[in-house]
Amino acid sequence: MGLFDIFRAKKDNSTDHRPADKKLSGVGDTPLNASYTPEAITTLGPNDIFVFGSNLAGRHGGGAARIAYDRFGAVWGEGEGLQGHTYAIPTMQGGVDTVRPYVDRFIEFAKRQPLLTFYVTKIGCGIAGFSILEMAPLFRAARELHNVILPREFVDVIESEDPSALAQYARKPHRGIPRRF
C-alpha cells in the first residue's frame, strides 16, 4: 500500500452524508492549468499540496486544518510547514503582522519546490477571523510563482487597481472563535 492509497482508504472509510449530486470536486479533477484554488478540495494529485491556516500548536480541529488532517496528511501537533500533502501556515497567534513571516517562509519554500503545486486555501479567513483584504496582500509575491495557486478572492485583491471595488472583501462578521489580541 502506497502513500496515496492510505489517503484513499481514509477517505473511503469516512461517512459522507451529502447526497451524491452534492459531492465536492477536488484538485485531482481540476485542470493542470487552473487559475484559482477550487472552493472545496477533496482529492489531490501526487504533486499537489493543500496549503491551510493552522495554529502554532498544530491542533487541526476545524475548518481547512481539519480537512488537511483528515484527508491529506497534516500532523497533529505540527503547526507549520510541509506535512504529508499539506503545508501549514500559522494564523491564530495574533494580528496580520504575526502571520506575514510564516507566509514569507511558505513562499520561499514554494520557490525551492518547482515540481510541487501548492493550492492555497483562504487561510486566516475562517476561524482565525481575518478578512480577504487583510490576508490576500501577504501572498502578492506568490502570485509570481507558477506553482502556487491562490483563491480567486486573493487574486482579485492583489490585482485590483480600484480599492472601492474591494468592499465585498472587507471584514465579515466573525463566526468562529473570537480572536483575543
Side-chain angles (χ1 to χ4, degrees), residues 58-176:
R59 293 187 184 107
H60 310 306
R66 185 61 187 208
I67 293 167
Y69 177 72
D70 285 345
R71 296 181 185 232
F72 304 126
V75 176
W76 195 268
E78 298 207 16
E80 182 191 9
L82 187 68
Q83 310 159 28
H85 280 265
T86 71
Y87 189 100
I89 298 176
T91 59
M92 300 287 291
Q93 66 282 345
V96 172
D97 288 337
T98 70
V99 177
R100 184 181 316 277
Y102 296 107
V103 172
D104 291 346
R105 277 202 287 264
F106 160 70
I107 292 169
E108 288 305 312
F109 180 82
K111 284 179 185 175
R112 294 188 311 270
Q113 304 299 325
L115 299 178
L116 298 176
T117 301
F118 297 89
Y119 289 90
V120 177
T121 63
K122 290 182 253 186
I123 74 154
C125 298
I127 295 170
F130 295 106
S131 71
I132 298 286
L133 283 176
E134 292 171 304
M135 288 288 102
L138 301 180
F139 289 89
R140 187 174 309 281
R143 185 74 178 126
E144 307 298 320
L145 301 178
H146 76 282
N147 63 332
V148 176
I149 312 299
L150 298 173
R152 179 180 200 102
E153 297 88 342
F154 280 25
V155 173
D156 288 349
V157 169
I158 291 167
E159 295 183 352
S160 177
E161 295 179 15
D162 179 11
S164 65
L166 301 175
Q168 65 181 325
Y169 299 126
R171 185 176 297 277
K172 59 190 183 320
H174 196 322
R175 288 177 263 175

Side-chain angles (χ1 to χ4, degrees), residues 30-90:
T30 301
L32 292 175
N33 62 351
S35 299
Y36 310 107
T37 300
E39 266 308 306
I41 298 172
T42 59
T43 61
L44 292 172
N47 295 322
D48 295 336
I49 305 296
F50 182 88
V51 182
F52 67 100
S54 181
N55 58 64
L56 286 169
R59 293 187 184 107
H60 310 306
R66 185 61 187 208
I67 293 167
Y69 177 72
D70 285 345
R71 296 181 185 232
F72 304 126
V75 176
W76 195 268
E78 298 207 16
E80 182 191 9
L82 187 68
Q83 310 159 28
H85 280 265
T86 71
Y87 189 100
I89 298 176

